[in-house]
């Protein structure tokens, strides 16, 4: 009888598990000091903050470290915070946190959702253009040229053109693109005649060596004349001191001034601008030119693209869709865009 009474007093496995779970919860409460409702409020606050950064990113100051510009470079990636917050809200079983998640979802959808929609069909007045920084270390310029020509664009803009690769590009593209202009390290190949080709001065102060990374020409297309600009803005460096972008920003301002002074109504800008269209540093351009309405086309770095710094913009025309092309021997991916002339 004594043994039976002892067995009844001994806890079963289920009781032991419940006891251990309660002990763990008690320890967690002592360590973190917050009930689940409070932690739900933290998740909700993080959702509000994420939505605020998305909508009011322009209010984040650049100061001396370029914080605002850095945020805007990777702005779409703030959407990656939402799934994390969603899981935390479920773990906390917090209705407040789940409702608050609607704010960053709505903000991201408003800013970037349209890029994911299907592009309209091509029209009779459309131009197809390709933009590519081919890299001065590209060991397969002939293969790169073939890959770009396979997209059958009307215009091909290239940056980092250096000898002897330049001769390879010229030879490989000559048959299908008989018209070209090369100024410094940037060039344009065209199916349509080019006129008034010349260098474009976007050189920042402080660069004393030879530096020519801009051009302007006029493409005489069947749909009328178009002023075409090709540019390669200075690189940006991210270090312990923040974002080093002063030269890029200055060059973008010079390019914006040139576009503003352009007398032709239709303008197409192709280039490695070393900045995304959300980056305030490109405001001299994005306030004057239309950017892509559809497509994401992350182009850099080619091995794991996180941002599109290769841009196609236009005036008196719509950049209906932009996409990446297969990788070449460059550290950038090429981008192709369809432009509808107004």
């Amino acid at each position: 009888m004594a043994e039976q009474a002892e067995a009844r007093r001994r806890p079963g496995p289920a009781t032991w598990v419940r006891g251990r779970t309660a002990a763990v919860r008690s320890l967690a409460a002592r360590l973190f000091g917050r009930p689940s409702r409070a932690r739900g409020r933290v998740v909700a606050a993080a959702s509000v903050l994420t939505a605020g950064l998305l909508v009011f990113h322009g209010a984040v100051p650049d100061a001396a470290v370029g914080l605002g510009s850095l945020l805007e470079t990777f702005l779409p990636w703030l959407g990656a915070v939402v799934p994390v917050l969603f899981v935390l809200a479920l773990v906390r079983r917090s209705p407040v946190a789940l409702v608050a998640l609607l704010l960053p979802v709505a903000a991201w959808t408003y800013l970037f959702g349209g890029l994911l929609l299907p592009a309209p069909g091509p029209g009779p007045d459309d131009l197809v253009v390709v933009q590519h920084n081919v890299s001065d270390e590209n060991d397969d310029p002939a293969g790169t040229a073939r890959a770009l020509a396979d997209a059958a664009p009307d215009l091909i803009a290239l940056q980092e053109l250096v000898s002897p690769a330049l001769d390879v590009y010229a030879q490989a593209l000559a048959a299908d693109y008989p018209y070209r202009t090369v100024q410094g390290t940037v060039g344009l190949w065209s199916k349509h005649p080019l006129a008034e080709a010349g260098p474009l001065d976007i050189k920042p102060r402080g660069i004393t060596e030879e530096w020519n990374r801009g051009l302007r020409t006029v493409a005489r297309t069947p749909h009328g004349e178009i002023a075409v600009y090709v540019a390669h803005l200075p690189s940006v460096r991210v270090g312990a001191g923040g974002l080093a972008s002063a030269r890029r920003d200055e060059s973008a301002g010079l390019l914006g001034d040139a576009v503003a002074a352009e007398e032709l109504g239709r303008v197409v800008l192709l280039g490695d601008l070393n900045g995304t269209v959300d980056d305030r540093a490109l405001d001299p351009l994005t306030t004057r030119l239309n950017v892509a309405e559809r497509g994401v086309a992350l182009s850099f770095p080619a091995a794991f693209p996180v941002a599109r710094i290769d841009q196609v913009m236009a005036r008196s025309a719509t950049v209906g869709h932009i996409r990446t092309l297969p990788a070449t021997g460059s550290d950038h991916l090429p981008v192709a865009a369809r432009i509808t002339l107004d």
Side-chain angles (χ1 to χ4, degrees):
M1 293 294 294
E3 292 177 355
Q4 292 177 354
E6 178 65 22
R8 284 193 297 270
R9 288 193 296 270
R10 188 181 302 133
T15 304
W16 185 87
V17 169
R18 286 195 296 270
R20 295 307 90 195
T21 301
V24 170
R25 287 176 176 171
S26 176
L27 176 61
R30 288 196 298 272
L31 288 175
F32 298 104
R34 287 180 177 176
S36 60
R37 179 179 297 178
R39 288 195 294 271
R41 293 196 185 107
V42 171
V43 176
S47 297
V48 173
L49 175 61
T50 302
L53 289 174
L54 282 165
V55 176
F56 303 109
H57 55 86
V60 178
D62 255 344
V65 297
L67 182 61
S69 191
L70 182 62
L71 169 66
E72 289 161 346
T73 298
F74 302 103
L75 193 63
W77 290 99
L78 279 180
V81 176
V82 172
V84 177
L85 295 176
F86 178 69
V87 171
L88 291 175
L90 290 180
V91 169
R92 303 307 179 198
R93 298 180 182 179
S94 170
V96 172
L98 288 172
V99 171
L101 269 175
L102 294 176
L103 293 175
V105 169
W108 193 95
T109 302
Y110 174 77
L111 291 174
F112 305 112
L115 298 176
L116 306 178
L117 296 176
D125 295 336
D126 287 0
L127 290 178
V128 176
V129 300
V130 162
Q131 149 60 30
H132 191 29
N133 180 328
V134 295
S135 174
D136 54 10
E137 298 179 351
N138 192 328
D139 58 5
D140 185 20
T144 298
R146 288 193 297 271
L148 302 180
D150 284 346
D154 296 272
L155 304 173
I156 299 176
L158 304 181
Q159 296 84 45
E160 295 198 10
L161 293 169
V162 295
S163 296
L166 173 57
D167 296 331
V168 178
Y169 290 115
Q171 182 177 0
L173 295 172
D176 294 324
Y177 299 89
Y179 309 100
R180 69 181 174 95
T181 177
V182 176
Q183 307 290 334
T185 58
V186 300
L188 180 72
W189 275 257
S190 174
K191 289 185 176 181
H192 312 295
L194 299 177
E196 304 176 27
L200 181 69
D201 184 10
I202 55 172
K203 181 178 179 179
R205 297 183 301 271
I207 297 180
T208 57
E209 65 270 20
E210 185 177 353
W211 195 96
N212 186 359
R213 290 164 50 162
L215 70 81
R216 176 204 179 267
T217 188
V218 176
R220 292 176 171 166
T221 76
H223 315 296
E225 292 188 341
I226 302 171
V228 182
Y229 289 75
V230 180
H232 183 191
L233 300 190
S235 298
V236 172
R237 297 288 182 264
V238 180
L243 194 71
S245 63
R247 287 182 172 177
R248 188 274 312 268
D249 300 352
E250 182 182 351
S251 192
L254 294 172
L255 182 56
D257 291 342
V259 169
E262 175 58 54
E263 295 181 354
L264 279 179
R266 287 173 174 168
V267 174
V268 170
L269 169 63
L270 308 165
D272 173 5
L273 304 186
N274 273 305
T276 68
V277 295
D278 300 302
D279 189 338
R280 68 191 67 182
L282 298 190
D283 282 355
L285 301 169
T286 54
T287 56
R288 295 180 170 109
L289 300 169
N290 299 320
V291 300
E293 296 182 346
R294 300 287 185 270
V296 178
L298 304 179
S299 65
F300 183 83
F304 186 77
V306 296
R308 187 177 81 240
I309 62 176
D310 296 273
Q311 306 295 351
V312 177
M313 303 182 187
R315 185 176 77 192
S316 296
T318 302
V319 186
H321 183 257
I322 193 167
R323 62 188 176 93
T324 55
L325 299 178
T328 65
S330 172
D331 55 344
H332 291 240
L333 293 178
V335 298
R338 189 172 68 247
I339 298 176
T340 300
L341 302 177
D342 293 345

